[in-house]
């Protein structure tokens, strides 16, 4: 029987499935027979969903191109509708849920009986709801008893999280509402192209642009850097890998010229003498020789920030970091220096000023707060802390001693797969590591060495196609749950349509697997019930959600954590009353600059940097299935300056070969003056030939485990020159 028309049904208020801005939207079914909508109907005959922007503090009714087309991912022609099992000929066949789950459970038991609990590892994704992230962490530690879990948020927020925790005692992404930026006199944006990655963010910069105070640090003249033109601010274009030098020089100027907020520093921080000593050698002229930014430009930037600070009567100033400065072997040090600068100027913990990292993935915050990070339990508790273990174990109804210890960061975990002493079985939920991980060719080899790879996904992503078992799961408009956005704002995700075919929620899958592995009661499938348990587990932790519930979010719209009780209003701005450190003071921490792990050299004389495009998202598994987005950005490319193109003898559109120590790939050249002549840029959304992460470095920051995506030494050659070479 055909589905009845639902065009008269009221819309479902929810949020965009993509970035951490989590723009509010309303989804309304529209009967395709009405002829008023071009979106595809689902494979189950359900009418397509029409997307409308909805007023909300982050997006104020606006959406980007990805958001407007987000419902089209629900009806992708290759949407997974049934479990898939690998066949002897290398293909797949459909299977029922019982057969698939029995096979997975048997594989887990075999691996653990042979090699112990850590023979099974889990890799999660920063797009999972809070409920699913929590359940996945609990499943790994209680049912599997494995310590080996991490997630792709390690590639996103780990450096900023590590720096924030050690300097400020807390990591909450932005510690203030995004709308606060509108009143500032200065915003220093380091390594983030928000105009392309989250366009509705830009409206919050209109005020500071009108006052000439937007300052952008980026080797490219990106869409965001262009917002500084015509007197709206400053664009600083450093040599890739030298962002920390710029920050050390800014600190030097603030201290040398007496621009710091002396009262704030004395009352609210420790470590000034050591910081002063550590930055004394980074005078602007020396920094210029390393980073390529003029000494006077550095001084001007420092002075603008100081003049905007409250201590000098300014409206306020903000320092914001993004992946461009964080994805480095010195990512934690770079963010630490940004925090040091903000503390010296008295910005953090004052309304109208502050520091914050711009979270990338939709639930990059909640994922690490409640279970996916290798060393953390729910509530942002350290798994090595006996008190934290006791509290969470009491909620889970297990012996604290039964919980495993800390795991290992993502890059290390992926490298362990299939090796002697490493996991022989891997469960992946919500991640496409074959495209998104650094040194992706080596990651594919490690996946191939496993005895059992199980991937939970909505479409046959590149990682899913490597699996032995693919389990089809629901998408954002087919489920209930919560997300935590870049401001620490907990919001509701709501179901607007039934799941197609046999797709199931990860909560259901985890319950079914847990039952087969001996735990039949600890995994509810109702997201509201899971959230209530999460709230209890987080109580008293740094990320305290104990006063939040689905019902309260439905009534109030959103709540920013910490929220330690049902009457608590939430915390829009953190640090106003002090820092959650033993003495209540923030730490000024000296850091040192060092060269990138894979620095330029004669055989690889150019800097390769990577980043996002407006029309694509993350590994592209979703956005490359939206026809209009794929048509706008159908494939990878190599952006290079005309001077470099002339030196290499490359014409616009010509295919070039890129070669690093990890591998090589090919893509057409795109010649543009919007990049330094010593640097090339590639987007990282594409698989196969043209995949940027076949080239990137998997060396990691020693403190956070962040890989060095953003600085790779590369050789670039026109392909035609190779084809002419004699054999």
């Amino acid at each position: 029987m055909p589905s009845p028309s639902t065009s008269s049904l009221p819309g479902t208020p929810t949020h965009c499935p993509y970035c951490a801005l989590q723009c509010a939207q309303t989804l309304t079914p529209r009967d395709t027979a009405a002829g008023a909508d071009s979106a595809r109907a689902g494979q189950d005959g359900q009418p397509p969903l029409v997307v409308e922007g909805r007023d909300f503090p982050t997006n104020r009714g606006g959406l980007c191109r990805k958001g407007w087309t987000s419902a089209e991912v629900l009806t992708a022609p290759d949407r997974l509708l049934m479990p898939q099992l690998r066949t002897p000929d290398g293909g797949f066949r459909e299977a029922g849920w019982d057969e698939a789950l029995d096979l997975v459970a048997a594989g887990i038991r075999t691996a653990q009986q042979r090699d112990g609990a850590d023979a099974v590892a889990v890799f999660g994704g920063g797009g999972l709801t809070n409920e699913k992230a929590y359940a996945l962490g609990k499943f790994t530690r209680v049912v599997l008893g494995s310590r080996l879990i991490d997630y792709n948020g390690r590639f996103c927020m780990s450096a900023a999280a590590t720096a924030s925790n050690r300097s400020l005692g807390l990591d909450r992404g932005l510690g203030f509402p995004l709308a606060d930026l509108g009143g500032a006199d200065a915003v220093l944006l380091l390594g983030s192209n928000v105009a392309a990655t989250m366009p509705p963010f830009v409206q919050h910069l209109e005020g500071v642009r009108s006052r000439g105070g937007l300052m952008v640090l980026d080797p490219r003249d990106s869409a965001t850097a262009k917002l500084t033109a015509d007197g709206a601010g400053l664009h600083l274009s450093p040599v890739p890998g030298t962002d920390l030098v710029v920050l050390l020089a800014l600190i030097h100027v603030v201290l040398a010229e007496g621009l710091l907020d002396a009262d704030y520093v004395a009352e609210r921080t420790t470590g000034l003498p050591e910081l002063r000593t550590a930055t004394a050698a980074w005078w602007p002229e020396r920094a210029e020789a390393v980073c390529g930014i003029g000494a006077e430009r550095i001084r001007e930037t420092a002075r603008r920030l100081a003049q905007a600070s409250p201590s000098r009567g300014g409206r306020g100033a903000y320092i914001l970091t993004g992946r461009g400065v964080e994805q480095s072997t010195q990512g934690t040090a770079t963010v630490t220096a940004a925090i040091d600068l903000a503390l010296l100027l008295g910005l953090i913990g004052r309304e109208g000023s502050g520091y914050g990292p711009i979270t990338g993935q939709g639930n990059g915050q909640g994922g690490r707060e409640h279970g996916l990070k290798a060393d953390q339990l729910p509530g942002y508790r350290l798994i090595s802390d006996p008190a934290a273990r006791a509290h969470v174990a009491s909620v889970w109804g297990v012996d604290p001693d039964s919980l495993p210890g800390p795991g290992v960061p993502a890059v290390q975990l992926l490298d362990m797969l299939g090796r002697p002493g490493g996991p022989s079985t891997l469960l992946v939920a919500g991640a496409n590591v074959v495209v998104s991980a650094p040194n992706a060719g080596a990651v594919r080899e490690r996946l191939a060495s496993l005895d059992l790879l199980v991937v939970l996904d909505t479409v046959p992503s590149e990682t899913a196609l490597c699996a032995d078992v693919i389990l089809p799961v629901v998408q954002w408009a087919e489920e209930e749950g919560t997300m935590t956005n870049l401001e620490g704002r907990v919001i509701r995700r709501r179901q607007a349509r039934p799941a197609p075919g046999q797709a199931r929620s990860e909560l259901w899958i985890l319950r079914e697997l847990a039952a087969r592995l001996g735990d039949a009661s600890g995994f509810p499938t109702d997201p509201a019930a899971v959230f209530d348990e999460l709230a209890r587990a987080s109580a008293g932790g740094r990320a305290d959600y104990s006063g939040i519930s689905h019902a309260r979010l439905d009534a109030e719209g959103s709540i920013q954590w910490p929220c330690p009780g049902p009457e608590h209003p939430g915390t829009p701005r953190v640090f106003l009353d002090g820092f959650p450190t033993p003495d209540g003071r923030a730490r000024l921490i000296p850091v040192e600059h060092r060269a990138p792990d894979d620095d330029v050299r004669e055989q690889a004389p150019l800097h390769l940097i990577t980043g996002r495009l407006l029309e694509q998202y993350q590994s592209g598994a979703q956005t490359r299935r939206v026809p209009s987005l794929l048509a706008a950005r159908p494939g990878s490319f190599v952006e290079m300056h005309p001077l470099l193109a002339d030196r290499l003898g490359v014409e616009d559109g010509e295919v070039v070969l890129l070669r690093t120590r990890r591998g090589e790939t090919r893509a057409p050249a795109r010649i543009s003056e919007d990049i330094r002549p010593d640097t090339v840029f590639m987007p990282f959304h594409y698989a196969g030939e043209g995949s940027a992460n076949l080239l990137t470095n998997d060396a990691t920051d020693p403190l956070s485990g962040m890989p060095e995506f953003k600085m790779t030494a590369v050789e670039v050659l026109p392909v035609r020159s190779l084809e002419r070479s004699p054999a």
Side-chain angles (χ1 to χ4, degrees):
M1 179 181 296
S3 300
S5 171
T6 55
S7 59
S8 62
L9 292 177
T12 301
T14 188
H15 293 264
C16 179
Y18 295 121
C19 78
L21 207 56
Q22 285 295 285
C23 297
Q25 56 181 208
T26 300
L27 302 177
T28 305
R30 179 168 300 169
D31 195 332
T32 53
D37 190 85
S38 61
R40 301 167 296 204
Q43 293 173 324
D44 54 2
Q46 290 289 320
L49 293 174
V50 178
V51 177
E52 296 177 287
R54 182 164 57 86
D55 190 38
F56 197 68
T58 55
N59 65 307
R60 296 173 177 167
L63 297 171
C64 75
R65 191 170 183 180
K66 294 187 293 291
W68 289 119
T69 59
S70 56
E72 295 186 43
V73 183
L74 300 166
T75 55
D78 59 349
R79 179 75 190 271
L80 293 169
L81 303 176
M82 291 284 292
Q84 307 282 320
L85 304 184
R86 177 76 66 183
T87 56
D89 63 0
F92 289 94
R93 67 171 177 86
E94 291 186 349
W97 275 104
D98 283 339
E99 181 185 6
L101 293 174
D102 287 347
L103 176 63
V104 173
I108 290 172
R109 282 194 297 268
T110 297
Q112 293 191 320
Q113 288 169 1
R114 182 184 65 221
D115 297 318
D118 289 347
V120 181
V122 174
F123 198 95
L128 299 176
T129 63
N130 286 315
E131 293 81 359
K132 292 192 286 191
Y134 170 82
L136 193 60
K138 178 183 177 183
F139 175 84
T140 304
R141 285 146 179 148
V142 173
V143 177
L144 300 179
S146 174
R147 68 187 178 92
L148 296 179
I149 180 172
D150 209 49
Y151 79 131
N152 61 9
R154 179 71 63 175
F155 305 153
C156 176
M157 289 296 295
S158 59
T162 301
S164 295
N165 281 324
R166 70 175 187 160
S167 294
L168 307 175
L170 181 73
D171 156 43
R172 201 195 74 171
L174 302 186
F176 47 84
L178 188 59
D180 283 3
L181 295 176
D185 274 343
V187 172
L188 176 59
L189 188 56
L190 302 155
S192 182
N193 186 13
V194 292
T197 60
M198 44 181 69
F201 188 112
V202 172
Q203 62 192 309
H204 298 289
L205 300 175
E206 290 175 358
V208 70
R209 290 181 64 221
S210 71
R211 293 183 279 275
L214 179 62
M215 294 168 281
V216 176
L217 184 80
D218 194 323
R220 302 170 66 218
D221 191 13
S222 64
T224 305
K226 290 181 186 299
L227 296 175
T228 66
D230 300 324
L234 300 174
H235 173 212
L236 299 90
S237 178
V239 174
T242 65
D243 312 292
L244 179 52
V245 170
V246 179
L247 286 163
L248 292 172
L250 291 172
I251 292 171
H252 177 99
V253 173
V254 167
L255 293 174
E257 298 187 4
L259 302 177
L260 75 166
D261 184 341
D263 291 341
Y264 175 101
V265 170
E267 295 168 6
R268 303 197 62 182
T269 74
T270 63
L272 178 60
E274 294 81 3
L275 182 65
R276 190 184 294 275
T277 299
T279 57
W282 284 107
W283 59 91
E285 284 76 13
R286 181 193 176 203
E288 177 181 355
V290 178
C291 71
I293 298 173
E296 288 308 309
R297 194 77 154 180
I298 292 171
R299 290 189 175 93
E300 182 181 4
T301 302
R303 291 164 185 166
R304 287 196 185 196
L305 282 169
Q307 286 300 119
S309 66
S311 67
R312 293 181 173 266
R315 292 172 180 260
Y318 290 89
I319 298 173
L320 308 177
T321 60
R323 304 303 82 75
V325 300
E326 296 168 11
Q327 289 179 327
S328 161
T329 51
Q330 55 180 4
T332 300
T334 302
V335 177
T336 299
I339 295 172
D340 287 341
L341 179 60
L343 290 170
L344 289 175
L345 295 172
L347 306 182
I348 303 177
R350 275 184 166 159
E351 187 170 347
S353 294
Y355 158 76
I358 301 174
T359 309
Q361 295 186 85
N363 202 32
Q365 282 288 132
R368 71 178 178 278
E369 290 164 4
H370 298 299
L372 294 182
K373 203 167 176 217
D375 60 348
Q376 289 181 185
L377 290 170
Y380 221 133
R381 288 181 159 92
L382 290 176
I383 199 168
S384 56
D385 177 6
R389 295 168 65 87
H391 172 81
V392 174
S394 70
V395 175
W396 288 350
V398 300
D399 184 341
D401 292 338
S402 70
L403 297 178
V408 298
V411 171
Q412 185 178 346
L413 175 59
L414 292 171
D415 186 61
M416 292 170 62
L417 299 175
R419 297 190 188 277
S424 58
T425 295
L426 177 68
L427 276 66
V428 179
N432 190 11
V433 293
V434 167
V435 179
S436 64
N439 196 5
V443 171
R444 184 182 285 273
E445 291 176 2
R446 302 283 17 105
L447 295 182
S449 71
L450 291 167
D451 293 339
L452 178 63
L453 173 62
V454 182
V455 175
L456 286 64
D457 214 329
T458 62
V459 294
S461 68
E462 288 75 17
T463 302
L465 292 175
C466 295
D468 300 293
V469 180
I470 308 174
L471 302 178
V473 294
V474 297
Q475 292 199 53
W476 98 106
E478 302 158 354
E479 66 180 355
E480 297 284 326
T482 63
M483 305 284 279
T484 303
N485 82 345
L486 77 172
E487 315 158 293
R489 188 185 298 272
V490 187
I491 56 178
R492 280 278 278 119
R493 173 175 283 185
R494 296 182 178 87
Q495 184 178 17
R497 63 184 294 146
Q502 293 295 307
R504 295 286 185 267
S505 168
E506 289 90 337
L507 296 178
W508 181 87
I509 294 170
L510 292 175
R511 184 195 68 181
E512 293 296 309
L513 280 177
R516 285 167 169 78
L517 295 169
D519 188 330
S521 62
F523 291 85
T525 60
D526 175 16
V530 177
F531 189 91
D532 288 345
E533 184 182 310
L534 176 160
R536 294 195 303 274
S538 76
R542 283 183 284 179
D544 191 332
Y545 284 37
S546 60
I548 307 175
S549 65
H550 278 208
R552 188 174 172 193
L553 290 171
D554 287 339
E556 299 180 28
S558 65
I559 300 170
Q560 286 168 274
W561 69 264
C563 181
E567 305 302 320
H568 192 281
T571 311
R573 300 171 184 87
V574 294
F575 309 132
L576 296 181
D577 299 320
F579 297 96
T581 59
D583 61 2
R585 293 169 177 250
R587 295 344 187 205
L588 293 165
I589 300 177
V591 291
E592 296 181 0
H593 169 71
R594 63 176 185 273
D597 178 79
D598 186 12
D599 208 352
V600 292
R601 55 194 180 278
E602 183 178 355
Q603 299 80 8
L606 298 172
H607 306 278
L608 168 66
I609 58 176
T610 66
R612 299 180 183 178
L613 304 175
L614 171 63
E615 296 86 357
Q616 298 294 332
Y617 179 71
Q618 298 295 86
S619 73
Q622 296 162 291
T623 48
R624 285 188 276 117
R625 286 173 166 82
V626 176
S628 63
L629 299 181
L630 185 61
R633 296 289 193 175
S636 190
F637 60 87
V638 182
E639 183 178 273
M640 64 176 65
H641 193 276
L643 292 175
L644 176 61
D646 183 64
R647 180 162 64 85
L648 297 176
V650 172
E651 297 180 359
D652 192 53
E654 181 178 358
V655 176
V656 295
L657 172 75
L658 297 94
R659 183 182 293 141
T660 72
R661 286 171 170 158
R662 269 71 52 195
E664 61 182 44
T665 193
R666 301 181 183 207
R670 177 171 298 175
I671 300 175
S672 170
E673 293 186 353
D674 293 341
I675 191 167
R676 294 176 56 94
D678 58 1
T679 302
V680 295
F681 165 85
M682 289 187 73
F684 57 64
H685 309 293
Y686 300 95
E689 187 164 84
S691 174
N693 281 326
L694 292 171
L695 308 174
T696 52
N697 192 3
D698 55 4
T700 58
D701 180 304
L703 297 178
S704 66
M706 171 69 85
E708 191 156 71
F709 286 106
K710 287 296 187 285
M711 178 39 228
T712 303
V714 64
E715 179 185 23
V716 180
L717 299 167
V719 169
R720 59 179 162 76
S721 69
L722 302 175
E723 293 171 346
R724 289 198 303 262
S725 298

